[in-house]
Short mmCIF file of all heavy atoms in Angstrom, two decimals:
data_model
loop_
_atom_site.label_atom_id
_atom_site.label_comp_id
_atom_site.label_asym_id
_atom_site.label_seq_id
_atom_site.Cartn_x
_atom_site.Cartn_y
_atom_site.Cartn_z
N PHE A 611 -21.50 -5.78 -9.36
CA PHE A 611 -22.70 -5.64 -10.06
C PHE A 611 -22.83 -6.73 -11.09
O PHE A 611 -22.74 -6.49 -12.35
CB PHE A 611 -22.85 -4.17 -10.78
CG PHE A 611 -23.00 -3.16 -9.74
CD1 PHE A 611 -21.87 -2.45 -9.22
CD2 PHE A 611 -24.20 -2.73 -9.24
CE1 PHE A 611 -22.00 -1.56 -8.21
CE2 PHE A 611 -24.38 -1.77 -8.34
CZ PHE A 611 -23.24 -1.09 -7.79
N ALA A 612 -23.03 -7.87 -10.62
CA ALA A 612 -23.23 -9.17 -11.43
C ALA A 612 -24.66 -9.53 -11.33
O ALA A 612 -25.48 -8.80 -10.79
CB ALA A 612 -22.20 -10.26 -10.99
N LYS A 613 -25.00 -10.71 -11.82
CA LYS A 613 -26.30 -11.24 -11.66
C LYS A 613 -26.17 -12.55 -10.95
O LYS A 613 -25.73 -13.56 -11.52
CB LYS A 613 -26.94 -11.45 -13.05
CG LYS A 613 -27.27 -10.13 -13.74
CD LYS A 613 -28.06 -10.37 -15.01
CE LYS A 613 -28.35 -9.09 -15.65
NZ LYS A 613 -29.11 -9.30 -17.00
N PRO A 614 -26.58 -12.70 -9.68
CA PRO A 614 -27.14 -11.54 -8.91
C PRO A 614 -26.03 -10.66 -8.37
O PRO A 614 -24.87 -11.07 -8.36
CB PRO A 614 -27.93 -12.36 -7.74
CG PRO A 614 -27.07 -13.59 -7.54
CD PRO A 614 -26.56 -13.98 -8.96
N ILE A 615 -26.38 -9.59 -7.78
CA ILE A 615 -25.47 -8.62 -7.17
C ILE A 615 -24.78 -9.27 -5.93
O ILE A 615 -25.50 -9.96 -5.19
CB ILE A 615 -26.12 -7.30 -6.84
CG1 ILE A 615 -26.54 -6.55 -8.05
CG2 ILE A 615 -25.24 -6.46 -5.95
CD1 ILE A 615 -27.35 -5.29 -7.79
N ALA A 616 -23.49 -9.16 -5.96
CA ALA A 616 -22.69 -9.79 -4.88
C ALA A 616 -21.94 -8.78 -3.97
O ALA A 616 -21.79 -7.71 -4.45
CB ALA A 616 -21.75 -10.80 -5.39
N HIS A 617 -21.53 -9.20 -2.87
CA HIS A 617 -20.81 -8.29 -2.03
C HIS A 617 -19.76 -9.04 -1.28
O HIS A 617 -19.87 -10.29 -1.01
CB HIS A 617 -21.70 -7.53 -1.02
CG HIS A 617 -22.24 -8.47 0.03
ND1 HIS A 617 -23.52 -9.16 -0.27
CD2 HIS A 617 -21.96 -8.77 1.31
CE1 HIS A 617 -23.80 -9.81 0.87
NE2 HIS A 617 -22.96 -9.59 1.74
N GLU A 618 -18.67 -8.37 -0.92
CA GLU A 618 -17.55 -9.01 -0.30
C GLU A 618 -17.02 -8.15 0.85
O GLU A 618 -16.83 -6.96 0.74
CB GLU A 618 -16.38 -9.23 -1.25
CG GLU A 618 -15.14 -9.87 -0.73
CD GLU A 618 -14.04 -9.97 -1.79
OE1 GLU A 618 -14.32 -9.66 -2.97
OE2 GLU A 618 -12.90 -10.39 -1.41
N LEU A 619 -16.84 -8.79 2.04
CA LEU A 619 -16.32 -7.94 3.11
C LEU A 619 -14.78 -7.88 2.93
O LEU A 619 -13.99 -8.82 2.92
CB LEU A 619 -16.56 -8.75 4.47
CG LEU A 619 -15.96 -8.09 5.67
CD1 LEU A 619 -16.54 -6.77 5.99
CD2 LEU A 619 -16.17 -9.00 6.99
N VAL A 620 -14.39 -6.64 2.67
CA VAL A 620 -12.99 -6.43 2.32
C VAL A 620 -12.09 -6.05 3.65
O VAL A 620 -11.00 -6.45 3.70
CB VAL A 620 -12.83 -5.20 1.36
CG1 VAL A 620 -11.36 -4.92 1.09
CG2 VAL A 620 -13.58 -5.60 0.01
N LEU A 621 -12.77 -5.38 4.51
CA LEU A 621 -12.06 -4.91 5.71
C LEU A 621 -12.94 -4.75 6.93
O LEU A 621 -14.06 -4.21 6.69
CB LEU A 621 -11.37 -3.51 5.42
CG LEU A 621 -10.35 -2.99 6.33
CD1 LEU A 621 -9.12 -3.94 6.49
CD2 LEU A 621 -9.83 -1.67 5.87
N GLU A 622 -12.58 -5.20 8.04
CA GLU A 622 -13.32 -4.98 9.30
C GLU A 622 -12.36 -4.42 10.28
O GLU A 622 -11.26 -4.98 10.61
CB GLU A 622 -13.95 -6.28 9.77
CG GLU A 622 -14.77 -6.03 11.08
CD GLU A 622 -15.63 -7.25 11.45
OE1 GLU A 622 -15.97 -8.07 10.67
OE2 GLU A 622 -15.98 -7.30 12.67
N ILE A 623 -12.83 -3.32 10.91
CA ILE A 623 -12.00 -2.59 11.84
C ILE A 623 -12.66 -2.40 13.17
O ILE A 623 -13.80 -1.98 13.14
CB ILE A 623 -11.54 -1.24 11.34
CG1 ILE A 623 -10.62 -1.38 10.04
CG2 ILE A 623 -10.78 -0.36 12.39
CD1 ILE A 623 -10.37 -0.09 9.39
N ASN A 624 -12.00 -2.83 14.28
CA ASN A 624 -12.62 -2.52 15.60
C ASN A 624 -11.83 -1.29 16.17
O ASN A 624 -10.70 -1.37 16.52
CB ASN A 624 -12.39 -3.67 16.49
CG ASN A 624 -13.10 -3.50 17.82
OD1 ASN A 624 -13.22 -2.42 18.38
ND2 ASN A 624 -13.63 -4.59 18.49
N PHE A 625 -12.41 -0.15 15.99
CA PHE A 625 -11.85 1.16 16.36
C PHE A 625 -11.45 1.17 17.81
O PHE A 625 -10.35 1.73 18.12
CB PHE A 625 -12.76 2.28 16.00
CG PHE A 625 -12.05 3.62 15.95
CD1 PHE A 625 -11.50 4.14 14.76
CD2 PHE A 625 -11.94 4.40 17.13
CE1 PHE A 625 -10.88 5.29 14.77
CE2 PHE A 625 -11.31 5.66 17.16
CZ PHE A 625 -10.79 6.13 15.91
N ALA A 626 -12.17 0.52 18.69
CA ALA A 626 -11.83 0.50 20.13
C ALA A 626 -10.54 -0.20 20.38
O ALA A 626 -9.87 0.01 21.40
CB ALA A 626 -12.99 -0.11 20.90
N GLN A 627 -10.19 -1.08 19.49
CA GLN A 627 -8.90 -1.90 19.68
C GLN A 627 -7.72 -1.30 19.00
O GLN A 627 -6.56 -1.92 19.06
CB GLN A 627 -9.12 -3.34 19.24
CG GLN A 627 -10.23 -4.07 20.09
CD GLN A 627 -10.32 -5.52 19.72
OE1 GLN A 627 -9.75 -5.96 18.72
NE2 GLN A 627 -11.28 -6.23 20.41
N MET A 628 -7.86 -0.18 18.30
CA MET A 628 -6.76 0.35 17.58
C MET A 628 -5.80 1.03 18.62
O MET A 628 -6.12 1.53 19.64
CB MET A 628 -7.22 1.47 16.65
CG MET A 628 -8.09 0.99 15.51
SD MET A 628 -7.18 0.09 14.17
CE MET A 628 -7.68 -1.62 14.59
N ASN A 629 -4.45 0.88 18.25
CA ASN A 629 -3.43 1.56 19.06
C ASN A 629 -2.80 2.63 18.30
O ASN A 629 -2.21 2.41 17.28
CB ASN A 629 -2.40 0.42 19.40
CG ASN A 629 -1.39 0.84 20.38
OD1 ASN A 629 -1.07 2.07 20.48
ND2 ASN A 629 -0.76 0.03 21.15
N HIS A 630 -2.87 3.84 18.85
CA HIS A 630 -2.34 4.94 18.11
C HIS A 630 -0.90 5.00 17.87
O HIS A 630 -0.31 5.67 17.09
CB HIS A 630 -2.76 6.35 18.75
CG HIS A 630 -2.03 6.58 20.10
ND1 HIS A 630 -2.46 5.93 21.28
CD2 HIS A 630 -1.03 7.29 20.39
CE1 HIS A 630 -1.65 6.39 22.22
NE2 HIS A 630 -0.79 7.13 21.72
N LYS A 631 -0.14 4.09 18.68
CA LYS A 631 1.31 4.03 18.49
C LYS A 631 1.74 2.93 17.53
O LYS A 631 2.89 2.85 17.16
CB LYS A 631 1.93 3.69 19.89
CG LYS A 631 1.69 4.82 20.95
CD LYS A 631 2.38 4.49 22.27
CE LYS A 631 2.24 5.61 23.33
NZ LYS A 631 2.94 5.35 24.55
N LYS A 632 0.78 2.14 17.06
CA LYS A 632 1.14 1.05 16.17
C LYS A 632 0.98 1.54 14.69
O LYS A 632 -0.17 1.90 14.33
CB LYS A 632 0.29 -0.13 16.37
CG LYS A 632 0.71 -0.93 17.72
CD LYS A 632 -0.16 -2.18 17.92
CE LYS A 632 0.06 -3.19 16.77
NZ LYS A 632 -0.74 -4.48 16.94
#
Side-chain angles (χ1 to χ4, degrees):
F611 292 89
K613 291 185 178 180
I615 290 174
H617 66 277
E618 177 184 356
L619 178 62
V620 175
L621 192 58
E622 180 169 339
I623 296 170
N624 187 327
F625 196 89
Q627 294 180 359
M628 294 289 101
N629 185 335
H630 71 279
K631 294 182 179 180
K632 286 182 65 175

